[in-house]
Amino acid sequence: MQEALTIGQLSARSGVAQSALRYYERLGLIRAERTSGNQRRYHRSELRRVAFIRIAQQVGISLEEIRTALDSLPAARTPTAEDWAELSTAWRARLDEKIRLMSRLRDDLDACIGCGCLSLRRCTLYNPEDNLGGEGPGARLVLPG
């Protein structure tokens, strides 16, 4: 394998712990070939996949969603800029919605922190006696919509 990286080299270059890289490999997020001595060797293109995984996780994308996205990339060759652009296009609406939700959360928290909860009648997060619990799990007032 040309330009192969050991797990230690991939870890050092990506800033991701070796245990996490093995976990990503177990989940099918990254791929390694094995030497005759059963040591992992990663193609340099796996660095881009690891960077994508880290960034996607930081914005709250699940590993399952990440795997689905990465599965859309070609397995038999190094993904091209066009391949990554297609993945980006497929995620654009999802990311735009996350940005909108995070902006709304930020704005609601700014108002909440500023009010000091002196008037619970105006609070956009107040849920007395868990009245919204019947609508399902999670934060019901800070959902997309």
Side-chain angles (χ1 to χ4, degrees), residues 89-115:
T89 299
W91 268 23
R92 186 163 303 277
R94 170 100 164 92
L95 294 174
D96 286 344
E97 178 59 24
K98 277 208 165 284
I99 290 167
R100 191 192 66 71
L101 180 60
M102 291 174 76
S103 295
R104 182 174 165 207
L105 176 62
R106 178 203 57 218
D107 295 345
D108 286 351
L109 286 176
D110 283 350
C112 184
I113 291 168
C115 83

Side-chain angles (χ1 to χ4, degrees), residues 2 8-9 14 24 29 36 38 46 52 74 80 101-102 107 110 113 115 124-126 129 136 142-143:
Q2 277 187 328
Q9 291 168 324
S14 67
Y24 293 164
L29 298 170
S36 59
N38 203 31
E46 295 301 303
F52 175 79
T80 64
L101 180 60
M102 291 174 76
D107 295 345
D110 283 350
I113 291 168
C115 83
T124 59
L125 300 176
Y126 183 56
E129 299 179 31
V142 190
L143 290 176

Side-chain angles (χ1 to χ4, degrees), residues 33-41:
E33 292 184 10
R34 298 294 182 135
T35 67
S36 59
N38 203 31
Q39 296 177 336
R40 290 174 171 85
R41 292 293 184 266

